[in-house]
Amino acid sequence: MDTIFALASAPGKAGVAVIRISGPLSWEAVRLLVGVIPQPRQSTLRKLRDPDGEILDEALVLVFDQGASFTGERVAELHLHGSIAIQRAVLRVLEGIAGLRMAEAGEFTRRALENDCLDLTQVEALSDLIEAETESQRIQALRVFSGALGKRIESWRRMLIEAAALLEATIDFADEEVPVDVTGDVLARITAVISAVGREIDGMNAAERIRTGFEVAILGAPNVGKSSLLNALAGRDAAITSDIAGTTRDVIEVRMDIQGLPVTLLDTAGLRETQDPIEKIGISRALQRASLSDLRVVLVDEHGIPDVPLGDSDLILTTKADLTGDAAGISAYTGQGLDHLLSEIGHRLSAIIQGAGLATRERHRVAFFDGRESLERSIQLLNRGPGFYDLAAEEIRAAIRALEILVGRIDVENLLDEIFSTFCIGK
């Protein structure tokens, strides 16, 4: 297997830059650079030299033995001073060592998967952890990366293997008088897994929302203060504001962190009757996005509520309190009521994610549904009697395969290139 290397820290100038080397020649590469290899897992200060003996940098050197590293291979890390010149010089020397090559995107993590250091759900969680922008995303990604989902799936898999083994033992001794009826034990295991999978499916929508983010639409009539509110909440001029009705034509999006949740605020076209064909398109888009959003903030003024169907969860607020003197209203100009609004948005969205599961991707949903359907068919076959035990056992095995696909044990090669393409070089 090739020995790979790459810059593991962010590219560009920094206080410290980390170069990671993984593979059978990683320690030998370090020896060529520093002379004496430090003890595994002991950070040691060493001078790095090129093949001519010229000093490249003075760096901290770490080595990890096979089976005790992120990739499962022998690994070395060079913690350099973070100048671009030093990074390039060290990478150039590594490129010149026979048997070493630059890593591809996500190749370190892919090796961790291939060496059974991570399962596929942990690989996906690592990608989410790197991309996490809010506290809720960090917590969720870390839970999955810790192996929590994989452990659940493994426990379900063991229960199903036990169920299939009981059935197959009965089939093997079908010609003998075996008084024990295993149907009850098998059904107990199958129904327990069906119930657990169902809970995970029920929690997927909330988990997906944490990973991908919520949408909050701001609705109201023209000139009610939607764009001003968006700008005030964002802390910048994200939307054009003017006294001219119909200024906002398209949906304007601003990404925010609200109480640790990823939220996209949507500024929409003012809702009114109009003959302007472009404005009509904007209003149609506003209503469409609002219908798909997780929460709607409806702004009203002295003219009342706009002609839009309201839901029980919609927030209805009066605006321009700086002009009206309404103590219960909000003002984008003075900031009155904005902290309370953000708190209320966070509270309502937090309620949505109660009971969030660990599975977050569509392929997880597909595997769960496939597995559950196989188990439901196995119950139907079991209820038809011992003559159908062999078919029931095959349905149980199909459910086991669905779970194994989910964690990457079998039949996922076609997924790997897509998954690892989202990783950076060095991870």
Side-chain angles (χ1 to χ4, degrees), residues 339-355:
D339 287 343
H340 177 73
L341 171 59
L342 289 173
S343 177
E344 185 63 21
I345 290 173
H347 174 73
R348 296 195 182 201
L349 296 181
S350 294
I352 294 175
I353 63 172
Q354 295 301 312

Side-chain angles (χ1 to χ4, degrees), residues 168-241:
E168 286 162 358
T170 302
I171 295 168
D172 289 342
F173 292 99
D175 295 333
E176 304 179 22
E177 292 186 4
V178 180
V180 178
D181 182 3
V182 301
T183 306
D185 290 338
V186 173
L187 284 173
R189 287 169 170 80
I190 294 174
T191 54
V193 174
I194 288 176
S195 177
V197 169
R199 288 193 297 272
E200 198 61 46
I201 291 173
D202 291 341
M204 279 198 68
N205 286 336
E208 284 179 312
R209 276 290 177 264
I210 295 173
R211 187 174 76 87
T212 61
F214 296 89
E215 286 194 348
V216 175
I218 304 173
L219 295 174
N223 284 345
V224 78
K226 299 184 299 300
S227 297
S228 296
L229 175 61
L230 181 79
N231 291 342
L233 294 177
R236 60 185 177 88
D237 290 337
I240 297 172
T241 59

